[in-house]
Amino acid sequence: MAKGYTKYDHKKSLIEPLFGIKNLFQKPVTVKIPLEKKEVSPRYRGFHTNDLDACIGCGNCSDICPTSAITMVKDSSLPENQPGRKPQRPWMDYGRCCFCALCVDVCPSGSLSMTKDFVWISYEADDFYFMPDKKGLNNKGWQSDPKTSIFHHEALPVEIMPAEERKKDFSVITNGYTREDALSEAMRCMECDVCRLGCPARMKIGDYIREIYFERYENSIKIMLEDNPLSGVCGTICTHKCQDACAISLRGDSLSIMYLKGYAVKQVDYDKIAEELKPKQEKGKKVAVIGGGPSGLSCAFYLRKEGYSVDVYEREAEVGGMLRYGIPSYRLPNDIIGKDVSLIQNIGVNIKTGVEVGKDVSFEDLIDQYDAVYIACGLQKGLKTGMANEDAEGVWQAVDFLGDIRKGKDIQIGKKVIVIGGGNVAMDAARTAVRLQMMKYGKVDVSVLCLEGFDEMPAFKEEIEETMEEGVKILPCVGAPRGKEGILVKGGKVVGFRGYPVKALRDQEGRFNPQFEEKTMDFEADMIIEAVGQGPDFGFIPQDIQKKMEKAGWRLKVDENYMTSIKGVFAGGDIWNTRRDAISAIADGKNAAEGIIRYLS
């Protein structure tokens, strides 16, 4: 027994309580602790605080919590379908919390942190379960540090062919990820699924990336096909709105979702999957689809899966629409399109190429012979700027220029080319001209003139950068008013362009209404390519039927089932939505298929 220690027999001693008298006049210390402010470490892990304006409701904090102390609770005041955000917010149960701070370290928005507050007095158990807010932000403790965070902030780059090499011909500029890089990049995914709200097709991104990480590629493709039958295409050229909504992008590089999708598609043979997707039972009804672009193919795929007979009418020699005839092959090669199309054909969709509705078969006959018709003709006509001399020799519409190149036609490329426009199509036209000039002249002289400033150009940042790397000069804030002699002509041929500096792009109400200065600047050119937008061609629809179709401007109006004002006639894709990208057209195709199924049922 230790020296100085007295053992008392509680059962036998009657005077033991008197020994407590010696402590009667000592200064108490324990009762003051809840009432005194104690100095603690600057990185102390006390109660949580959450900047609710920055919180995106991803739920990563709840997923990682080792004690299940965090519950994501829906806030009815928040919007349901906001890209990159969910309407849930974390509630903490301090009866369970072990103050490990893993939730703070994994928070991609940095909204969640811990304070140096650690005292809480209440006799009500429910008071220890609440939603942290900004209270305590002025007494910060543990904060997430990107340098020591448990997730990786930097994306693995995809190797792209150097500019001096890639501009020599139309070879594909990137092969995407290697196996090692794909698995490493997939590991960055936190499966929070806020990216899904950014995807127009609402693809189950977290689910298929998890399957990629575990190298279950066939499972990954099957998950993709639930919402997108053209995953090979979208793994190559998608506008990847999902990446813009990625939670990690708030503090680092977004996950490279597009390239992960493209990598998975390359690992799988579609023949086996096609057999599994073939309908088990025929519905006995048939649908005509006008247009073999992304929207038409998507609609046909989902209708066929459910047992409907589907005929796709495509006027061009190859199916794919603008995917095949509007995007250069160095960005989207034919074999990628072909793999996706073969899957759609192999489940039983009948594709009729070289058949033009309104010429080889009438629109009225389709209405009579089919139970439903889906119009997915896209935007095939290039819009003109309205300048004088647009019909001169050497003036091209970008959609025609790119289409003829993809069809293998011999284009006499100019020695000095000017592209009018600041969008992705303008960049495609300029980069295509670069390759043609290199193959014919061995040097580049291409300029892009656009009304917008660099920060306002609608083209993707990476597209602009790659275009400039290939030797294209981009001149922002330059254009020509309608009716002015912007296109300079001599002997009926283009000899140059007269530009006017842009004073303002929009009027006081914020509407697009360019205003120009009076001074001019002249540029030499023997070829001008206009890339200022596209419009539809409804010439295949008889006028008496067109008059019955409700429109908003030139866009067809549809109801919640994607049906036009004519019973049994549906429409979708670029002739209805304003987003003008492949994934949105694909989403329309699936939604229209579901509407057609409801109508036919």
Side-chain angles (χ1 to χ4, degrees), residues 103-181:
C103 54
V104 174
D105 286 339
V106 83
C107 177
S109 68
S111 68
L112 194 64
S113 58
M114 302 184 90
T115 68
K116 290 184 281 187
D117 299 327
F118 57 93
V119 177
W120 189 277
I121 304 172
S122 177
Y123 295 101
E124 299 295 330
D126 289 346
D127 290 346
F128 293 86
Y129 175 70
F130 59 89
M131 180 181 72
D133 53 21
K134 291 183 180 181
K135 184 178 180 181
L137 276 175
N138 59 342
N139 194 27
K140 290 182 178 180
W142 187 270
Q143 309 289 307
S144 177
D145 186 346
K147 294 180 181 178
T148 58
S149 176
I150 59 179
F151 59 85
H152 302 288
H153 293 78
E154 294 183 356
L156 282 167
V158 171
E159 186 176 348
I160 296 178
M161 191 187 301
E164 288 304 313
E165 290 298 317
R166 66 178 185 249
K167 70 182 184 181
K168 292 179 179 178
D169 55 35
F170 286 85
S171 299
V172 179
I173 64 175
T174 179
N175 290 316
Y177 276 137
T178 63
R179 174 183 176 274
E180 292 76 14
D181 287 349

Coordinates of all heavy atoms in Angstrom, one line a residue, residues 103-181:
C103 N -15.1 15.3 -40.8 CA -16.2 16.0 -41.6 C -15.7 17.3 -42.1 O -16.0 17.7 -43.3 CB -17.4 16.2 -40.7 SG -17.1 17.1 -39.2
V104 N -14.9 18.0 -41.4 CA -14.3 19.3 -41.8 C -13.3 19.1 -42.9 O -13.3 19.8 -43.9 CB -13.7 20.1 -40.6 CG1 -13.0 21.4 -41.1 CG2 -14.8 20.4 -39.6
D105 N -12.5 18.1 -42.7 CA -11.4 17.9 -43.7 C -11.9 17.4 -45.1 O -11.3 17.7 -46.1 CB -10.5 16.8 -43.2 CG -9.6 17.3 -42.1 OD1 -9.4 18.5 -42.0 OD2 -9.1 16.5 -41.3
V106 N -13.1 16.8 -45.1 CA -13.7 16.3 -46.3 C -14.7 17.3 -47.0 O -15.1 17.0 -48.1 CB -14.3 14.9 -46.1 CG1 -15.8 15.1 -45.6 CG2 -14.3 14.1 -47.4
C107 N -14.9 18.4 -46.3 CA -15.9 19.3 -46.9 C -15.4 20.0 -48.1 O -14.4 20.8 -48.0 CB -16.3 20.4 -45.8 SG -17.4 21.6 -46.4
P108 N -15.9 19.8 -49.3 CA -15.3 20.4 -50.5 C -15.6 21.9 -50.7 O -14.8 22.5 -51.3 CB -16.1 19.6 -51.6 CG -17.4 19.2 -51.0 CD -17.1 18.9 -49.6
S109 N -16.6 22.4 -50.0 CA -16.9 23.8 -50.1 C -16.1 24.6 -49.1 O -16.1 25.9 -49.2 CB -18.4 24.1 -50.0 OG -18.8 23.8 -48.7
G110 N -15.6 24.0 -48.1 CA -14.9 24.7 -47.0 C -15.9 25.4 -46.1 O -15.5 26.2 -45.2
S111 N -17.2 25.1 -46.2 CA -18.2 25.8 -45.4 C -18.2 25.3 -43.9 O -18.5 26.1 -43.0 CB -19.6 25.6 -46.0 OG -20.0 24.3 -45.9
L112 N -17.8 24.0 -43.7 CA -17.9 23.4 -42.4 C -16.6 23.6 -41.7 O -15.5 23.3 -42.3 CB -18.3 21.9 -42.5 CG -18.7 21.2 -41.3 CD1 -20.0 21.8 -40.7 CD2 -18.9 19.7 -41.5
S113 N -16.6 24.0 -40.4 CA -15.4 24.1 -39.6 C -15.8 23.9 -38.2 O -16.9 23.6 -37.9 CB -14.8 25.5 -39.8 OG -15.7 26.5 -39.5
M114 N -14.8 24.0 -37.3 CA -15.0 23.8 -35.9 C -14.5 25.0 -35.1 O -13.6 25.7 -35.5 CB -14.3 22.5 -35.4 CG -14.7 21.3 -36.2 SD -14.0 19.7 -35.6 CE -15.2 19.3 -34.3
T115 N -15.2 25.3 -34.1 CA -14.9 26.5 -33.3 C -14.0 26.1 -32.1 O -13.8 24.9 -31.9 CB -16.2 27.1 -32.7 OG1 -16.8 26.2 -31.8 CG2 -17.2 27.4 -33.9
K116 N -13.6 27.0 -31.3 CA -12.9 26.8 -30.0 C -13.9 26.7 -28.9 O -13.5 26.7 -27.7 CB -11.9 27.8 -29.8 CG -10.7 27.7 -30.8 CD -9.6 28.7 -30.5 CE -9.9 30.1 -31.0 NZ -8.8 31.0 -30.9
D117 N -15.2 26.8 -29.2 CA -16.2 26.7 -28.2 C -16.4 25.2 -27.8 O -16.7 24.4 -28.7 CB -17.6 27.3 -28.7 CG -17.4 28.7 -29.0 OD1 -16.7 29.4 -28.4 OD2 -18.1 29.2 -30.0
F118 N -16.4 24.9 -26.5 CA -16.5 23.5 -26.1 C -17.4 23.3 -24.9 O -17.6 22.3 -24.3 CB -15.2 22.9 -25.8 CG -14.4 23.6 -24.8 CD1 -14.4 23.2 -23.4 CD2 -13.6 24.7 -25.1 CE1 -13.7 23.9 -22.5 CE2 -12.8 25.4 -24.2 CZ -12.9 25.0 -22.8
V119 N -18.1 24.4 -24.4 CA -18.9 24.4 -23.3 C -20.4 24.5 -23.7 O -20.8 25.4 -24.4 CB -18.6 25.5 -22.2 CG1 -19.6 25.4 -21.1 CG2 -17.2 25.3 -21.8
W120 N -21.2 23.6 -23.2 CA -22.6 23.6 -23.6 C -23.4 23.1 -22.4 O -23.2 22.0 -21.9 CB -22.9 22.7 -24.8 CG -24.3 22.8 -25.3 CD1 -25.4 22.2 -24.9 CD2 -24.7 23.7 -26.4 NE1 -26.5 22.5 -25.6 CE2 -26.1 23.5 -26.6 CE3 -24.1 24.6 -27.3 CZ2 -26.9 24.1 -27.6 CZ3 -24.8 25.2 -28.2 CH2 -26.2 25.0 -28.4
I121 N -24.3 23.9 -21.8 CA -25.0 23.6 -20.6 C -26.5 23.5 -20.9 O -27.1 24.4 -21.4 CB -24.8 24.6 -19.5 CG1 -23.3 24.8 -19.2 CG2 -25.5 24.2 -18.2 CD1 -23.0 25.9 -18.3
S122 N -27.0 22.3 -20.7 CA -28.5 22.1 -20.9 C -28.9 20.8 -20.3 O -28.1 19.9 -20.2 CB -28.8 22.1 -22.4 OG -30.2 21.9 -22.6
Y123 N -30.1 20.8 -19.8 CA -30.6 19.6 -19.2 C -31.6 18.9 -20.1 O -32.1 17.9 -19.8 CB -31.4 20.0 -17.9 CG -30.5 20.5 -16.8 CD1 -30.5 21.9 -16.5 CD2 -29.7 19.7 -16.0 CE1 -29.6 22.4 -15.6 CE2 -28.9 20.2 -15.0 CZ -28.8 21.5 -14.8 OH -28.0 22.0 -13.8
E124 N -31.7 19.4 -21.4 CA -32.6 18.8 -22.4 C -31.7 18.1 -23.4 O -30.8 18.7 -24.1 CB -33.4 19.9 -23.1 CG -34.3 20.7 -22.2 CD -35.4 19.8 -21.6 OE1 -35.8 18.8 -22.3 OE2 -35.9 20.1 -20.5
A125 N -31.9 16.8 -23.6 CA -31.1 16.0 -24.5 C -31.2 16.5 -25.9 O -30.3 16.4 -26.7 CB -31.5 14.5 -24.4
D126 N -32.4 16.9 -26.3 CA -32.6 17.4 -27.7 C -31.8 18.6 -28.0 O -31.6 18.9 -29.2 CB -34.1 17.7 -27.9 CG -34.9 16.4 -28.0 OD1 -34.3 15.3 -28.1 OD2 -36.2 16.5 -27.9
D127 N -31.4 19.3 -27.0 CA -30.6 20.5 -27.3 C -29.2 20.2 -27.8 O -28.5 21.1 -28.4 CB -30.4 21.4 -26.0 CG -31.7 22.0 -25.6 OD1 -32.7 22.1 -26.4 OD2 -31.8 22.5 -24.4
F128 N -28.8 19.0 -27.7 CA -27.5 18.6 -28.2 C -27.5 18.0 -29.6 O -26.6 17.4 -30.1 CB -26.8 17.6 -27.2 CG -26.5 18.2 -25.9 CD1 -27.5 18.2 -24.9 CD2 -25.3 18.7 -25.7 CE1 -27.1 18.8 -23.7 CE2 -24.9 19.3 -24.4 CZ -25.9 19.3 -23.4
Y129 N -28.7 18.2 -30.3 CA -28.8 17.8 -31.7 C -29.4 19.0 -32.4 O -30.5 19.5 -32.2 CB -29.8 16.6 -31.8 CG -30.2 16.2 -33.2 CD1 -29.2 15.6 -34.0 CD2 -31.5 16.5 -33.7 CE1 -29.6 15.3 -35.3 CE2 -31.8 16.1 -35.0 CZ -30.8 15.5 -35.8 OH -31.1 15.2 -37.1
F130 N -28.5 19.6 -33.3 CA -29.0 20.8 -34.0 C -28.2 21.0 -35.2 O -27.2 20.3 -35.5 CB -28.8 22.1 -33.1 CG -27.4 22.3 -32.6 CD1 -26.5 23.1 -33.4 CD2 -26.9 21.8 -31.4 CE1 -25.2 23.3 -32.9 CE2 -25.6 22.0 -31.0 CZ -24.8 22.8 -31.7
M131 N -28.6 22.0 -36.1 CA -28.0 22.3 -37.3 C -27.0 23.5 -37.1 O -27.5 24.6 -36.8 CB -29.0 22.7 -38.4 CG -28.4 23.0 -39.8 SD -29.6 23.5 -41.0 CE -30.1 25.1 -40.4
P132 N -25.7 23.2 -37.3 CA -24.8 24.4 -37.1 C -25.0 25.4 -38.2 O -25.4 25.1 -39.3 CB -23.4 23.7 -37.3 CG -23.6 22.2 -37.1 CD -25.0 22.0 -37.6
D133 N -24.9 26.7 -37.8 CA -24.9 27.8 -38.7 C -23.7 28.6 -38.5 O -22.6 28.2 -38.1 CB -26.2 28.6 -38.5 CG -26.4 29.0 -37.1 OD1 -25.4 29.1 -36.3 OD2 -27.6 29.3 -36.7
K134 N -23.8 29.9 -38.8 CA -22.6 30.8 -38.8 C -22.2 31.1 -37.4 O -21.1 31.7 -37.2 CB -22.9 32.1 -39.6 CG -23.0 31.9 -41.1 CD -23.1 33.2 -41.8 CE -23.2 33.0 -43.3 NZ -23.4 34.3 -44.0
K135 N -23.0 30.8 -36.4 CA -22.7 31.1 -35.0 C -21.3 30.4 -34.6 O -21.1 29.3 -34.8 CB -23.8 30.6 -34.1 CG -23.5 30.9 -32.6 CD -24.7 30.4 -31.8 CE -24.5 30.8 -30.3 NZ -25.6 30.3 -29.4
G136 N -20.4 31.2 -34.1 CA -19.1 30.7 -33.7 C -18.0 31.0 -34.8 O -16.9 30.7 -34.5
L137 N -18.4 31.6 -35.9 CA -17.4 31.8 -37.0 C -16.3 32.8 -36.5 O -15.2 32.8 -37.0 CB -18.1 32.4 -38.2 CG -18.7 31.4 -39.2 CD1 -19.4 32.1 -40.3 CD2 -17.6 30.5 -39.8
N138 N -16.6 33.6 -35.5 CA -15.7 34.6 -35.0 C -14.7 33.9 -33.9 O -13.8 34.6 -33.4 CB -16.4 35.8 -34.3 CG -17.3 35.4 -33.2 OD1 -17.6 34.2 -33.1 ND2 -17.6 36.3 -32.3
N139 N -14.9 32.7 -33.7 CA -14.1 32.0 -32.7 C -13.6 30.7 -33.3 O -13.8 29.6 -32.8 CB -14.9 31.7 -31.4 CG -13.9 31.3 -30.3 OD1 -12.8 31.6 -30.2 ND2 -14.5 30.5 -29.3
K140 N -13.0 30.8 -34.5 CA -12.6 29.6 -35.3 C -11.6 28.7 -34.6 O -10.7 29.2 -34.0 CB -12.1 30.1 -36.7 CG -13.2 30.7 -37.6 CD -12.6 31.0 -38.9 CE -13.6 31.6 -39.8 NZ -13.1 32.0 -41.2
G141 N -11.8 27.4 -34.8 CA -10.9 26.4 -34.3 C -10.3 25.7 -35.5 O -9.7 26.2 -36.4
W142 N -10.7 24.4 -35.6 CA -10.1 23.5 -36.7 C -10.7 23.9 -38.0 O -12.0 24.0 -38.2 CB -10.5 22.0 -36.3 CG -9.8 21.1 -37.3 CD1 -10.4 20.6 -38.5 CD2 -8.6 20.5 -37.2 NE1 -9.5 19.7 -39.1 CE2 -8.4 19.6 -38.3 CE3 -7.5 20.6 -36.2 CZ2 -7.2 18.9 -38.5 CZ3 -6.4 19.8 -36.4 CH2 -6.2 19.0 -37.6
Q143 N -9.9 24.2 -39.0 CA -10.3 24.5 -40.3 C -9.7 23.6 -41.3 O -8.6 23.0 -41.1 CB -9.8 26.0 -40.7 CG -10.2 27.0 -39.7 CD -11.7 27.3 -39.7 OE1 -12.2 27.6 -40.7 NE2 -12.3 27.3 -38.5
S144 N -10.4 23.3 -42.4 CA -9.9 22.4 -43.4 C -8.8 23.1 -44.2 O -8.9 24.3 -44.5 CB -11.0 22.1 -44.4 OG -10.5 21.3 -45.4
D145 N -7.7 22.4 -44.4 CA -6.5 22.9 -45.1 C -6.3 22.1 -46.4 O -6.1 20.9 -46.3 CB -5.3 22.9 -44.2 CG -4.1 23.5 -44.8 OD1 -4.1 23.8 -46.1 OD2 -3.1 23.8 -44.1
P146 N -6.4 22.7 -47.5 CA -6.2 22.0 -48.8 C -4.9 21.2 -48.8 O -4.8 20.1 -49.5 CB -6.3 23.0 -49.9 CG -7.1 24.1 -49.3 CD -6.8 24.1 -47.8
K147 N -3.9 21.7 -48.2 CA -2.6 21.0 -48.2 C -2.6 19.7 -47.5 O -1.9 18.8 -47.8 CB -1.5 21.9 -47.6 CG -1.3 23.2 -48.4 CD -0.2 24.1 -47.8 CE 0.0 25.3 -48.6 NZ 1.0 26.2 -47.9
T148 N -3.5 19.6 -46.5 CA -3.5 18.4 -45.7 C -4.9 17.6 -45.8 O -5.2 16.7 -45.1 CB -3.3 18.7 -44.2 OG1 -4.3 19.6 -43.7 CG2 -1.9 19.3 -44.0
S149 N -5.7 18.1 -46.7 CA -7.1 17.5 -46.9 C -6.9 16.1 -47.3 O -6.0 15.7 -48.0 CB -7.9 18.3 -47.9 OG -9.1 17.7 -48.1
I150 N -8.0 15.3 -47.0 CA -7.9 13.9 -47.3 C -8.4 13.6 -48.7 O -8.4 12.4 -49.1 CB -8.8 13.0 -46.3 CG1 -10.2 13.5 -46.3 CG2 -8.2 13.1 -44.9 CD1 -11.1 12.7 -45.4
F151 N -8.8 14.6 -49.5 CA -9.1 14.3 -50.9 C -8.1 15.1 -51.8 O -7.5 16.1 -51.3 CB -10.6 14.6 -51.3 CG -11.0 16.0 -51.0 CD1 -10.8 17.0 -51.9 CD2 -11.7 16.3 -49.8 CE1 -11.2 18.3 -51.7 CE2 -12.1 17.6 -49.6 CZ -11.9 18.6 -50.6
H152 N -8.0 14.6 -53.0 CA -7.0 15.2 -53.9 C -7.7 16.4 -54.7 O -8.7 16.2 -55.3 CB -6.5 14.2 -54.9 CG -5.9 13.0 -54.2 ND1 -4.6 13.0 -53.6 CD2 -6.3 11.7 -54.0 CE1 -4.3 11.9 -53.1 NE2 -5.3 11.0 -53.4
H153 N -7.0 17.5 -54.7 CA -7.5 18.7 -55.3 C -7.2 18.8 -56.8 O -7.9 19.5 -57.5 CB -7.1 20.0 -54.6 CG -7.6 20.1 -53.2 ND1 -7.1 19.4 -52.2 CD2 -8.6 20.8 -52.7 CE1 -7.7 19.7 -51.0 NE2 -8.6 20.5 -51.3
E154 N -6.1 18.2 -57.2 CA -5.7 18.4 -58.6 C -6.1 17.2 -59.5 O -5.9 16.0 -59.1 CB -4.2 18.5 -58.7 CG -3.7 19.8 -58.0 CD -2.2 20.0 -58.1 OE1 -1.5 19.1 -58.6 OE2 -1.7 21.0 -57.7
A155 N -6.7 17.5 -60.7 CA -7.1 16.4 -61.6 C -5.8 15.9 -62.4 O -4.9 16.7 -62.6 CB -8.1 17.0 -62.6
L156 N -5.9 14.7 -62.8 CA -4.8 14.2 -63.6 C -5.0 14.7 -65.0 O -6.1 14.4 -65.6 CB -4.8 12.7 -63.6 CG -4.2 12.0 -62.3 CD1 -4.5 10.6 -62.2 CD2 -2.7 12.3 -62.3
P157 N -4.1 15.4 -65.6 CA -4.2 15.9 -67.0 C -4.2 14.8 -68.0 O -3.6 13.7 -67.8 CB -3.0 16.8 -67.2 CG -2.0 16.3 -66.2 CD -2.7 15.7 -65.1
V158 N -5.0 15.0 -69.1 CA -5.0 14.1 -70.2 C -3.9 14.6 -71.2 O -3.8 15.8 -71.5 CB -6.4 14.1 -70.9 CG1 -6.3 13.3 -72.2 CG2 -7.4 13.5 -70.0
E159 N -3.1 13.7 -71.7 CA -2.1 14.1 -72.7 C -2.7 14.5 -74.0 O -3.4 13.7 -74.6 CB -1.1 12.9 -72.9 CG 0.1 13.2 -73.7 CD 1.1 12.1 -73.8 OE1 1.0 11.1 -73.0 OE2 2.0 12.2 -74.7
I160 N -2.3 15.6 -74.5 CA -2.8 16.2 -75.8 C -1.6 16.4 -76.7 O -0.6 16.9 -76.3 CB -3.6 17.5 -75.6 CG1 -4.8 17.2 -74.7 CG2 -4.0 18.1 -76.9 CD1 -5.6 18.5 -74.4
M161 N -1.8 16.0 -77.9 CA -0.7 16.2 -78.9 C -0.3 17.6 -79.0 O -1.1 18.6 -79.0 CB -1.3 15.8 -80.3 CG -0.2 15.6 -81.4 SD -0.9 15.3 -83.0 CE -1.8 13.8 -82.7
P162 N 1.0 17.9 -79.0 CA 1.5 19.3 -79.1 C 0.9 20.0 -80.3 O 0.7 19.4 -81.4 CB 3.0 19.1 -79.3 CG 3.3 17.8 -78.7 CD 2.1 16.9 -79.0
A163 N 0.8 21.3 -80.2 CA 0.1 22.1 -81.3 C 0.8 22.0 -82.6 O 0.1 21.9 -83.7 CB 0.1 23.6 -80.8
E164 N 2.1 22.0 -82.6 CA 2.9 22.0 -83.9 C 2.6 20.7 -84.6 O 2.7 20.6 -85.9 CB 4.4 22.2 -83.7 CG 4.7 23.6 -83.3 CD 4.2 24.6 -84.3 OE1 4.4 24.4 -85.5 OE2 3.6 25.6 -84.0
E165 N 2.4 19.6 -83.9 CA 2.1 18.3 -84.5 C 0.6 18.1 -84.9 O 0.3 17.7 -86.0 CB 2.5 17.2 -83.5 CG 4.0 17.0 -83.3 CD 4.7 16.7 -84.6 OE1 4.2 15.8 -85.3 OE2 5.8 17.3 -84.8
R166 N -0.3 18.5 -84.0 CA -1.7 18.2 -84.2 C -2.2 19.1 -85.4 O -3.2 18.7 -86.0 CB -2.5 18.4 -83.0 CG -2.6 19.9 -82.4 CD -3.5 19.9 -81.2 NE -3.7 21.3 -80.7 CZ -3.2 21.8 -79.6 NH1 -2.4 21.0 -78.8 NH2 -3.4 23.0 -79.2
K167 N -1.7 20.3 -85.6 CA -2.3 21.1 -86.7 C -1.9 20.7 -88.1 O -2.3 21.2 -89.1 CB -1.9 22.6 -86.4 CG -0.4 22.9 -86.7 CD -0.2 24.4 -86.4 CE 1.2 24.8 -86.7 NZ 1.4 26.3 -86.4
K168 N -1.0 19.6 -88.2 CA -0.6 19.2 -89.5 C -1.6 18.4 -90.3 O -1.6 18.4 -91.5 CB 0.7 18.3 -89.4 CG 1.9 19.1 -88.9 CD 3.1 18.1 -88.8 CE 4.4 18.9 -88.3 NZ 5.5 18.0 -88.1
D169 N -2.5 17.7 -89.5 CA -3.6 17.0 -90.2 C -4.8 16.8 -89.2 O -4.8 17.4 -88.2 CB -3.0 15.6 -90.7 CG -2.4 14.8 -89.5 OD1 -2.9 14.9 -88.4 OD2 -1.4 14.1 -89.8
F170 N -5.7 15.9 -89.6 CA -6.9 15.7 -88.8 C -6.8 14.5 -87.8 O -7.8 14.0 -87.4 CB -8.1 15.5 -89.7 CG -8.5 16.8 -90.4 CD1 -7.9 17.2 -91.6 CD2 -9.5 17.6 -89.8 CE1 -8.3 18.4 -92.2 CE2 -9.9 18.8 -90.4 CZ -9.3 19.2 -91.6
S171 N -5.6 14.1 -87.4 CA -5.4 13.0 -86.4 C -6.1 13.4 -85.1 O -6.1 14.6 -84.7 CB -4.0 12.7 -86.2 OG -3.4 12.3 -87.4
V172 N -6.6 12.5 -84.4 CA -7.2 12.7 -83.1 C -6.2 13.3 -82.1 O -5.0 12.8 -82.0 CB -7.8 11.4 -82.5 CG1 -8.4 11.7 -81.1 CG2 -8.8 10.8 -83.4
I173 N -6.5 14.4 -81.5 CA -5.5 15.1 -80.7 C -5.3 14.5 -79.3 O -4.3 14.8 -78.6 CB -5.9 16.6 -80.5 CG1 -7.2 16.8 -79.7 CG2 -6.0 17.3 -81.9 CD1 -7.6 18.2 -79.5
T174 N -6.2 13.6 -78.8 CA -5.9 13.0 -77.5 C -6.6 11.6 -77.5 O -7.7 11.4 -78.1 CB -6.5 13.8 -76.4 OG1 -6.2 13.1 -75.1 CG2 -8.0 14.1 -76.5
N175 N -6.0 10.7 -76.9 CA -6.6 9.3 -76.7 C -7.2 9.1 -75.3 O -7.5 8.0 -74.9 CB -5.5 8.3 -77.0 CG -5.1 8.2 -78.4 OD1 -5.9 8.2 -79.3 ND2 -3.8 8.2 -78.7
G176 N -7.2 10.2 -74.5 CA -7.8 10.1 -73.2 C -6.9 9.5 -72.2 O -5.7 9.6 -72.3
Y177 N -7.5 8.9 -71.2 CA -6.8 8.4 -70.0 C -6.2 7.0 -70.3 O -6.7 6.2 -71.0 CB -7.7 8.2 -68.8 CG -7.8 9.5 -68.0 CD1 -9.0 9.9 -67.5 CD2 -6.7 10.3 -67.7 CE1 -9.2 11.1 -66.8 CE2 -6.8 11.5 -67.0 CZ -8.1 11.8 -66.5 OH -8.2 13.0 -65.8
T178 N -5.0 6.7 -69.7 CA -4.5 5.4 -69.6 C -5.2 4.7 -68.4 O -5.9 5.4 -67.6 CB -3.0 5.4 -69.3 OG1 -2.8 6.0 -68.0 CG2 -2.2 6.1 -70.4
R179 N -5.0 3.4 -68.3 CA -5.6 2.7 -67.1 C -5.2 3.3 -65.8 O -6.1 3.5 -64.9 CB -5.3 1.2 -67.2 CG -5.8 0.4 -66.0 CD -5.3 -1.1 -66.1 NE -5.7 -1.8 -64.9 CZ -5.0 -1.8 -63.7 NH1 -3.8 -1.1 -63.7 NH2 -5.4 -2.5 -62.7
E180 N -3.9 3.5 -65.6 CA -3.5 4.0 -64.3 C -4.1 5.4 -64.0 O -4.5 5.6 -62.9 CB -1.9 4.1 -64.3 CG -1.2 2.7 -64.3 CD -1.3 2.1 -65.7 OE1 -1.6 2.8 -66.7 OE2 -1.0 0.9 -65.8
D181 N -4.1 6.2 -65.0 CA -4.6 7.6 -64.7 C -6.1 7.5 -64.5 O -6.6 8.3 -63.7 CB -4.3 8.5 -65.9 CG -2.8 8.9 -66.0 OD1 -2.1 8.6 -65.0 OD2 -2.3 9.4 -67.0

